[in-house]
Amino acid sequence: MTILLFYVDDMIITGNDENGIKHLKNLLNATFKMKDLGRLTYFLGWEVEYWQDGIMLSQRKYAEDLVTQACLSDQKVAHTPMEINVKYKNDDGDPLAEPTLYRRLIGCLIYLTMTRPGISYPVQVLSKFVANPCQCHFSALLRIIRYVRSTINRGLFFHSTSSLNLKGYADADWAGCPNSQKSNILL
């Protein structure tokens, strides 16, 4: 007989119904040993700031750690995450001898897009090359990180009176991929 034990060590309970939250905490506490850490300030690389008119979600510390991981010794910054009208290809020059750092940084940037949607498109473009990145792809990746460094304090602000109705938009560039001649869907 095999017994599996599951441990949940982090949970967020949120909402605007204080009584409902207290009730849920009591139900959970009756079954599991729980410790209420109070108001959320930091969770899995996310920072939460409470302002008078809303809540700010950011990943400032995570972004700072990302810049450190990239080993950027210069203080250069970028004002945009990607050059405009540049189309990257699979065979854009010399392949990286050791692509591990490229892959790790792409993964970190993907996680950072949760509070920094403005870098989603360039990260998506460069993530296509994780199997065989070239030096120009790595240079473009460092540009995104320099942009993150120059905008380190940005995040998502949710106004307290916002209805939080999400709207999504999509666009496609006709045959925009230079490798496959297929369209890229831009969300």
PDB file of all heavy atoms in Angstrom, residues 55-74:
ATOM      1  N   ILE A  55      -4.033  48.687  -6.199  1.00  0.00           N
ATOM      2  CA  ILE A  55      -2.972  47.722  -5.888  1.00  0.00           C
ATOM      3  C   ILE A  55      -2.006  47.666  -7.071  1.00  0.00           C
ATOM      4  O   ILE A  55      -2.423  47.606  -8.228  1.00  0.00           O
ATOM      5  CB  ILE A  55      -3.558  46.315  -5.650  1.00  0.00           C
ATOM      6  CG1 ILE A  55      -4.429  46.301  -4.404  1.00  0.00           C
ATOM      7  CG2 ILE A  55      -2.449  45.275  -5.525  1.00  0.00           C
ATOM      8  CD1 ILE A  55      -5.120  44.973  -4.160  1.00  0.00           C
ATOM      9  N   MET A  56      -0.723  47.647  -6.762  1.00  0.00           N
ATOM     10  CA  MET A  56       0.325  47.535  -7.776  1.00  0.00           C
ATOM     11  C   MET A  56       0.990  46.170  -7.647  1.00  0.00           C
ATOM     12  O   MET A  56       1.438  45.795  -6.564  1.00  0.00           O
ATOM     13  CB  MET A  56       1.361  48.636  -7.572  1.00  0.00           C
ATOM     14  CG  MET A  56       2.553  48.524  -8.473  1.00  0.00           C
ATOM     15  SD  MET A  56       2.099  48.958 -10.152  1.00  0.00           S
ATOM     16  CE  MET A  56       3.562  49.762 -10.689  1.00  0.00           C
ATOM     17  N   LEU A  57       1.002  45.405  -8.744  1.00  0.00           N
ATOM     18  CA  LEU A  57       1.709  44.134  -8.806  1.00  0.00           C
ATOM     19  C   LEU A  57       2.964  44.328  -9.645  1.00  0.00           C
ATOM     20  O   LEU A  57       2.883  44.857 -10.758  1.00  0.00           O
ATOM     21  CB  LEU A  57       0.849  43.053  -9.453  1.00  0.00           C
ATOM     22  CG  LEU A  57      -0.459  42.694  -8.785  1.00  0.00           C
ATOM     23  CD1 LEU A  57      -1.198  41.636  -9.604  1.00  0.00           C
ATOM     24  CD2 LEU A  57      -0.216  42.184  -7.379  1.00  0.00           C
ATOM     25  N   SER A  58       4.087  43.921  -9.113  1.00  0.00           N
ATOM     26  CA  SER A  58       5.333  44.049  -9.867  1.00  0.00           C
ATOM     27  C   SER A  58       6.232  42.865  -9.555  1.00  0.00           C
ATOM     28  O   SER A  58       5.942  42.047  -8.681  1.00  0.00           O
ATOM     29  CB  SER A  58       6.038  45.360  -9.520  1.00  0.00           C
ATOM     30  OG  SER A  58       6.535  45.317  -8.197  1.00  0.00           O
ATOM     31  N   GLN A  59       7.328  42.808 -10.276  1.00  0.00           N
ATOM     32  CA  GLN A  59       8.353  41.798 -10.057  1.00  0.00           C
ATOM     33  C   GLN A  59       9.722  42.484 -10.052  1.00  0.00           C
ATOM     34  O   GLN A  59      10.674  42.008 -10.651  1.00  0.00           O
ATOM     35  CB  GLN A  59       8.283  40.725 -11.149  1.00  0.00           C
ATOM     36  CG  GLN A  59       7.040  39.868 -11.098  1.00  0.00           C
ATOM     37  CD  GLN A  59       6.928  38.946 -12.288  1.00  0.00           C
ATOM     38  OE1 GLN A  59       6.618  39.393 -13.381  1.00  0.00           O
ATOM     39  NE2 GLN A  59       7.182  37.668 -12.086  1.00  0.00           N
ATOM     40  N   ARG A  60       9.818  43.588  -9.347  1.00  0.00           N
ATOM     41  CA  ARG A  60      11.034  44.405  -9.341  1.00  0.00           C
ATOM     42  C   ARG A  60      12.254  43.596  -8.902  1.00  0.00           C
ATOM     43  O   ARG A  60      13.276  43.576  -9.583  1.00  0.00           O
ATOM     44  CB  ARG A  60      10.860  45.638  -8.461  1.00  0.00           C
ATOM     45  CG  ARG A  60      12.040  46.601  -8.503  1.00  0.00           C
ATOM     46  CD  ARG A  60      11.907  47.723  -7.491  1.00  0.00           C
ATOM     47  NE  ARG A  60      11.611  47.239  -6.152  1.00  0.00           N
ATOM     48  CZ  ARG A  60      12.522  46.688  -5.321  1.00  0.00           C
ATOM     49  NH1 ARG A  60      13.756  46.556  -5.706  1.00  0.00           N
ATOM     50  NH2 ARG A  60      12.168  46.273  -4.132  1.00  0.00           N
ATOM     51  N   LYS A  61      12.162  42.930  -7.771  1.00  0.00           N
ATOM     52  CA  LYS A  61      13.297  42.150  -7.261  1.00  0.00           C
ATOM     53  C   LYS A  61      13.644  41.028  -8.234  1.00  0.00           C
ATOM     54  O   LYS A  61      14.814  40.760  -8.510  1.00  0.00           O
ATOM     55  CB  LYS A  61      12.951  41.582  -5.878  1.00  0.00           C
ATOM     56  CG  LYS A  61      13.952  40.603  -5.317  1.00  0.00           C
ATOM     57  CD  LYS A  61      15.173  41.312  -4.775  1.00  0.00           C
ATOM     58  CE  LYS A  61      16.057  40.390  -3.962  1.00  0.00           C
ATOM     59  NZ  LYS A  61      16.942  39.547  -4.738  1.00  0.00           N
ATOM     60  N   TYR A  62      12.639  40.369  -8.788  1.00  0.00           N
ATOM     61  CA  TYR A  62      12.851  39.311  -9.764  1.00  0.00           C
ATOM     62  C   TYR A  62      13.581  39.872 -10.990  1.00  0.00           C
ATOM     63  O   TYR A  62      14.508  39.247 -11.515  1.00  0.00           O
ATOM     64  CB  TYR A  62      11.503  38.701 -10.166  1.00  0.00           C
ATOM     65  CG  TYR A  62      11.617  37.532 -11.103  1.00  0.00           C
ATOM     66  CD1 TYR A  62      11.825  36.245 -10.606  1.00  0.00           C
ATOM     67  CD2 TYR A  62      11.506  37.700 -12.470  1.00  0.00           C
ATOM     68  CE1 TYR A  62      11.932  35.163 -11.466  1.00  0.00           C
ATOM     69  CE2 TYR A  62      11.606  36.626 -13.339  1.00  0.00           C
ATOM     70  CZ  TYR A  62      11.822  35.363 -12.834  1.00  0.00           C
ATOM     71  OH  TYR A  62      11.930  34.300 -13.692  1.00  0.00           O
ATOM     72  N   ALA A  63      13.173  41.059 -11.442  1.00  0.00           N
ATOM     73  CA  ALA A  63      13.809  41.698 -12.597  1.00  0.00           C
ATOM     74  C   ALA A  63      15.258  42.074 -12.280  1.00  0.00           C
ATOM     75  O   ALA A  63      16.144  41.915 -13.125  1.00  0.00           O
ATOM     76  CB  ALA A  63      13.013  42.930 -13.021  1.00  0.00           C
ATOM     77  N   GLU A  64      15.502  42.558 -11.075  1.00  0.00           N
ATOM     78  CA  GLU A  64      16.876  42.880 -10.677  1.00  0.00           C
ATOM     79  C   GLU A  64      17.745  41.628 -10.686  1.00  0.00           C
ATOM     80  O   GLU A  64      18.894  41.655 -11.142  1.00  0.00           O
ATOM     81  CB  GLU A  64      16.894  43.523  -9.286  1.00  0.00           C
ATOM     82  CG  GLU A  64      16.356  44.932  -9.262  1.00  0.00           C
ATOM     83  CD  GLU A  64      16.192  45.490  -7.852  1.00  0.00           C
ATOM     84  OE1 GLU A  64      16.346  44.729  -6.863  1.00  0.00           O
ATOM     85  OE2 GLU A  64      15.902  46.695  -7.747  1.00  0.00           O
ATOM     86  N   ASP A  65      17.199  40.525 -10.185  1.00  0.00           N
ATOM     87  CA  ASP A  65      17.931  39.260 -10.192  1.00  0.00           C
ATOM     88  C   ASP A  65      18.193  38.780 -11.624  1.00  0.00           C
ATOM     89  O   ASP A  65      19.252  38.213 -11.917  1.00  0.00           O
ATOM     90  CB  ASP A  65      17.168  38.192  -9.412  1.00  0.00           C
ATOM     91  CG  ASP A  65      17.112  38.480  -7.921  1.00  0.00           C
ATOM     92  OD1 ASP A  65      17.884  39.333  -7.424  1.00  0.00           O
ATOM     93  OD2 ASP A  65      16.272  37.854  -7.242  1.00  0.00           O
ATOM     94  N   LEU A  66      17.243  39.016 -12.514  1.00  0.00           N
ATOM     95  CA  LEU A  66      17.397  38.648 -13.918  1.00  0.00           C
ATOM     96  C   LEU A  66      18.554  39.424 -14.550  1.00  0.00           C
ATOM     97  O   LEU A  66      19.379  38.857 -15.272  1.00  0.00           O
ATOM     98  CB  LEU A  66      16.093  38.919 -14.675  1.00  0.00           C
ATOM     99  CG  LEU A  66      16.121  38.788 -16.190  1.00  0.00           C
ATOM    100  CD1 LEU A  66      16.403  37.352 -16.613  1.00  0.00           C
ATOM    101  CD2 LEU A  66      14.807  39.255 -16.780  1.00  0.00           C
ATOM    102  N   VAL A  67      18.644  40.715 -14.276  1.00  0.00           N
ATOM    103  CA  VAL A  67      19.742  41.537 -14.805  1.00  0.00           C
ATOM    104  C   VAL A  67      21.076  40.999 -14.293  1.00  0.00           C
ATOM    105  O   VAL A  67      22.050  40.894 -15.045  1.00  0.00           O
ATOM    106  CB  VAL A  67      19.546  43.022 -14.427  1.00  0.00           C
ATOM    107  CG1 VAL A  67      20.779  43.845 -14.777  1.00  0.00           C
ATOM    108  CG2 VAL A  67      18.305  43.589 -15.115  1.00  0.00           C
ATOM    109  N   THR A  68      21.116  40.611 -13.033  1.00  0.00           N
ATOM    110  CA  THR A  68      22.341  40.044 -12.453  1.00  0.00           C
ATOM    111  C   THR A  68      22.696  38.719 -13.137  1.00  0.00           C
ATOM    112  O   THR A  68      23.861  38.476 -13.463  1.00  0.00           O
ATOM    113  CB  THR A  68      22.159  39.821 -10.934  1.00  0.00           C
ATOM    114  OG1 THR A  68      21.847  41.069 -10.331  1.00  0.00           O
ATOM    115  CG2 THR A  68      23.413  39.245 -10.313  1.00  0.00           C
ATOM    116  N   GLN A  69      21.702  37.865 -13.367  1.00  0.00           N
ATOM    117  CA  GLN A  69      21.939  36.583 -14.042  1.00  0.00           C
ATOM    118  C   GLN A  69      22.504  36.766 -15.439  1.00  0.00           C
ATOM    119  O   GLN A  69      23.271  35.943 -15.922  1.00  0.00           O
ATOM    120  CB  GLN A  69      20.638  35.793 -14.163  1.00  0.00           C
ATOM    121  CG  GLN A  69      20.252  35.013 -12.957  1.00  0.00           C
ATOM    122  CD  GLN A  69      19.041  34.146 -13.273  1.00  0.00           C
ATOM    123  OE1 GLN A  69      19.029  33.395 -14.242  1.00  0.00           O
ATOM    124  NE2 GLN A  69      18.022  34.271 -12.441  1.00  0.00           N
ATOM    125  N   ALA A  70      22.106  37.852 -16.102  1.00  0.00           N
ATOM    126  CA  ALA A  70      22.553  38.110 -17.470  1.00  0.00           C
ATOM    127  C   ALA A  70      24.001  38.573 -17.521  1.00  0.00           C
ATOM    128  O   ALA A  70      24.574  38.679 -18.614  1.00  0.00           O
ATOM    129  CB  ALA A  70      21.647  39.146 -18.132  1.00  0.00           C
ATOM    130  N   CYS A  71      24.594  38.853 -16.359  1.00  0.00           N
ATOM    131  CA  CYS A  71      25.997  39.267 -16.267  1.00  0.00           C
ATOM    132  C   CYS A  71      26.274  40.524 -17.085  1.00  0.00           C
ATOM    133  O   CYS A  71      27.311  40.633 -17.746  1.00  0.00           O
ATOM    134  CB  CYS A  71      26.931  38.143 -16.694  1.00  0.00           C
ATOM    135  SG  CYS A  71      26.735  36.632 -15.744  1.00  0.00           S
ATOM    136  N   LEU A  72      25.337  41.455 -17.073  1.00  0.00           N
ATOM    137  CA  LEU A  72      25.543  42.719 -17.778  1.00  0.00           C
ATOM    138  C   LEU A  72      26.429  43.620 -16.919  1.00  0.00           C
ATOM    139  O   LEU A  72      25.976  44.161 -15.917  1.00  0.00           O
ATOM    140  CB  LEU A  72      24.207  43.401 -18.057  1.00  0.00           C
ATOM    141  CG  LEU A  72      23.324  42.753 -19.108  1.00  0.00           C
ATOM    142  CD1 LEU A  72      21.982  43.453 -19.193  1.00  0.00           C
ATOM    143  CD2 LEU A  72      24.013  42.761 -20.455  1.00  0.00           C
ATOM    144  N   SER A  73      27.663  43.746 -17.314  1.00  0.00           N
ATOM    145  CA  SER A  73      28.599  44.558 -16.527  1.00  0.00           C
ATOM    146  C   SER A  73      28.501  46.042 -16.885  1.00  0.00           C
ATOM    147  O   SER A  73      28.930  46.892 -16.121  1.00  0.00           O
ATOM    148  CB  SER A  73      30.028  44.058 -16.727  1.00  0.00           C
ATOM    149  OG  SER A  73      30.367  44.090 -18.104  1.00  0.00           O
ATOM    150  N   ASP A  74      27.927  46.346 -18.048  1.00  0.00           N
ATOM    151  CA  ASP A  74      27.780  47.754 -18.436  1.00  0.00           C
ATOM    152  C   ASP A  74      26.530  48.348 -17.794  1.00  0.00           C
ATOM    153  O   ASP A  74      25.746  47.651 -17.165  1.00  0.00           O
ATOM    154  CB  ASP A  74      27.710  47.889 -19.955  1.00  0.00           C
ATOM    155  CG  ASP A  74      26.542  47.131 -20.571  1.00  0.00           C
ATOM    156  OD1 ASP A  74      25.507  46.969 -19.895  1.00  0.00           O
ATOM    157  OD2 ASP A  74      26.658  46.702 -21.725  1.00  0.00           O
TER     158      ASP A  74
END
